[in-house]
């Protein structure tokens, strides 16, 4: 491809940010799991892991973009790299779906939630999620119609994968998932609104005072807000890429690969940077844990700086400080 150095530089910065931010959020969530042992936090951790792996996967493409065209990448290696990128992206999207379903279940069945979503079920969901993700990512390697017949040596998504693969993902995965997201969101909003109306009616009837307001309504709306932001981020990030890929399949003469690979694909991958930022901003417990981590780092840096400054003063200043109490004791002894 032409002028791949700027694209490679953007890809390098994006991959570094995705890895750094997601690792930070993953550490914060791990500490929260150690404190609270929450099942929902395991899904949040899985999302951070999936997004981190996506950052690692696309960082392998940076060398190809920055290197000269004289050293082309083998088609098999490029296919494997794109399969890992697709698998990680699929795991991220499926985890967002799992988080939405978990919040939906918590609001729909609040009394039975902990019986249904226990540790074994959560682990089975995560294991199945990764299995499906890798089946999706490596599907083109086993299905010839999803592979490009020609390869020019420069590794990119559509250099090895045919747009028919994007069409299949859109029809079988993306749009059904989007409809499911909308159903979850509307039903959660309906349940939370009904619960809020019931509380207001009970308060007006005098059965419940303001001091005993149920804490569940605000938490319901916070969960709905987080799910809505995740769904909005997911939709805005991947919809342009998938719709343009469908257009490319329908119009073979329309050469949209440059737009797809240089702009819309980056927009979709950027969703893995938005996910941890959403949790860092919207989830209070994650935000507080990150704040505590920042305070711990600040305290550690302050201790190191004090230790270094004490070493820079050296031993010559030590006796001078200690000589004052000795002189005072000697002087008081002579006075006595």
């Amino acid at each position: 491809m032409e002028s791949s150095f700027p694209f490679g530089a953007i890809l390098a910065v994006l991959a570094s940010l995705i890895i750094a931010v997601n690792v930070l959020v993953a550490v914060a969530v791990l500490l929260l799991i150690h404190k609270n042992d929450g099942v929902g936090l395991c899904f949040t951790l899985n999302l951070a892991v999936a997004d981190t792996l996506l950052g690692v996967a696309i960082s392998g493409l940076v060398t190809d973009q920055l290197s000269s065209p004289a050293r082309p990448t083998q088609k098999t290696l490029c296919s494997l790299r794109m399969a890992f990128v697709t698998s990680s992206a699929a795991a991220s999207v499926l985890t967002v779906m799992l988080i939405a379903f978990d919040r939906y279940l918590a609001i729909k069945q609040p009394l039975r939630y902990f019986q249904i979503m226990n540790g074994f079920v959560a682990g089975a969901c995560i294991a199945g999620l990764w299995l499906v993700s890798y089946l999706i990512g490596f599907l083109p390697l086993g299905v010839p119609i999803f592979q490009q017949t020609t390869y020019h040596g420069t590794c990119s998504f559509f250099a090895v994968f045919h747009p028919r693969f994007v069409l299949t993902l859109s029809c079988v995965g993306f749009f059904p998932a989007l409809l499911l997201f909308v159903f979850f969101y509307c039903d959660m909003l309906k349940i939370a609104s009904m619960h809020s109306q019931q509380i207001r009616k009970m308060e007006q009837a005098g059965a419940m005072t303001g001091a005993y307001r149920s804490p569940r309504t605000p938490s319901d709306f916070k969960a709905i807000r987080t799910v809505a932001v995740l769904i909005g981020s997911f939709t805005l990030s991947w919809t342009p890429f998938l719709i343009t890929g469908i257009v490319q399949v329908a119009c073979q003469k329309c050469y949209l690969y440059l737009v797809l690979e240089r702009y819309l694909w980056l927009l979709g991958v950027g969703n893995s940077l938005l996910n941890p930022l959403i949790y860092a901003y919207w989830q209070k417990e994650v935000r507080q844990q990150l704040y505590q981590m920042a305070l711990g780092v600040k305290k550690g840096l302050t201790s190191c700086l004090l230790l270094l400054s004490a070493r820079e003063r050296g031993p010559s200043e030590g006796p001078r400080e200690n000589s004052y109490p000795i002189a005072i004791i000697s002087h008081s002894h002579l006075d006595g």
Side-chain angles (χ1 to χ4, degrees):
M1 284 187 182
E2 301 175 0
S3 65
S4 60
F5 184 84
F7 177 72
I10 294 173
L11 202 61
V13 173
L14 182 61
S16 301
L17 288 175
I18 288 174
I19 294 172
V21 176
N22 278 285
V23 167
L24 189 63
V25 171
V27 172
V29 175
L30 269 175
L31 293 174
L32 285 173
I33 291 174
H34 181 70
K35 294 177 183 177
N36 304 327
D37 194 23
V39 174
L41 291 173
C42 294
F43 299 147
T44 306
L45 176 63
N46 192 72
L47 180 63
V49 170
D51 289 331
T52 302
L53 290 179
L54 180 60
V56 173
I58 65 175
S59 64
L61 305 173
V62 174
T63 305
D64 297 331
Q65 297 295 330
L66 297 180
S67 62
S68 61
R71 295 182 296 174
T73 306
Q74 294 181 356
K75 184 179 180 180
T76 304
L77 179 60
C78 181
S79 298
L80 288 173
R81 285 180 175 176
M82 288 302 164
F84 278 112
V85 170
T86 307
S87 299
S88 302
S92 178
V93 172
L94 290 175
T95 306
V96 172
M97 286 186 60
L98 190 58
I99 291 172
F101 175 72
D102 177 68
R103 293 300 88 204
Y104 172 74
L105 188 63
I107 294 175
K108 186 79 173 178
Q109 301 287 340
L111 300 178
R112 297 180 55 207
Y113 169 75
F114 291 103
Q115 296 177 352
I116 299 173
M117 191 59 70
N118 52 39
F120 176 78
V121 174
C125 289
I126 292 173
L129 180 149
W130 281 103
L131 178 61
V132 172
S133 299
Y134 277 101
L135 286 176
I136 293 172
F138 284 84
L139 183 64
L141 275 65
V143 181
I145 62 172
F146 292 153
Q147 301 173 9
Q148 292 283 14
T149 55
T150 58
Y151 180 68
H152 302 289
T154 303
C155 187
S156 62
F157 186 86
F158 289 105
V160 290
F161 293 167
H162 197 275
R164 282 190 292 263
F165 178 53
V166 176
L167 176 63
T168 304
L169 286 180
S170 301
C171 296
V172 176
F174 177 77
F175 291 113
L178 192 58
L179 292 175
L180 197 61
F181 277 148
V182 173
F183 169 75
F184 285 159
Y185 176 74
C186 292
D187 204 17
M188 283 191 295
L189 189 62
K190 179 182 176 181
I191 293 170
S193 299
M194 290 176 57
H195 189 254
S196 179
Q197 290 175 4
Q198 289 175 359
I199 291 177
R200 283 198 296 267
K201 289 179 180 179
M202 294 175 70
E203 288 178 347
Q204 291 174 0
M208 184 182 293
T209 63
Y212 296 98
R213 182 183 296 271
S214 172
R216 192 176 159 235
T217 301
S219 65
D220 285 353
F221 281 108
K222 287 178 182 178
I224 293 170
R225 181 186 61 186
T226 304
V227 171
V229 174
L230 283 173
I231 293 172
S233 169
F234 159 77
T235 305
L236 294 176
S237 298
W238 284 109
T239 300
F241 174 78
L242 294 172
I243 290 180
T244 308
I246 294 173
V247 173
Q248 179 62 54
V249 175
C251 178
Q252 296 291 335
K253 295 181 180 180
C254 302
Y255 197 79
L256 302 173
Y257 294 113
L258 187 64
V259 175
L260 282 164
E261 293 174 344
R262 293 294 175 88
Y263 302 104
L264 301 183
W265 184 72
L266 279 180
L267 180 63
V269 170
N271 184 58
S272 293
L273 179 60
L274 292 177
N275 287 333
L277 295 177
I278 289 170
Y279 271 98
Y281 181 78
W282 292 101
Q283 289 288 91
K284 183 180 179 181
E285 52 187 2
V286 177
R287 187 170 66 247
Q288 289 178 344
Q289 184 62 48
L290 289 171
Y291 178 71
Q292 291 177 6
M293 290 168 58
L295 288 179
V297 171
K298 181 181 178 181
K299 187 181 295 184
L301 289 175
T302 304
S303 301
C304 290
L305 290 175
L306 291 174
L307 183 61
L308 288 174
S309 62
R311 288 181 178 179
E312 286 177 359
R313 285 199 301 266
S316 59
E317 297 183 6
R320 188 183 305 169
E321 295 176 357
N322 295 332
S323 62
Y324 293 109
I326 296 173
I328 294 172
I329 292 172
S330 303
H331 184 69
S332 61
H333 178 70
L334 290 173
D335 289 342

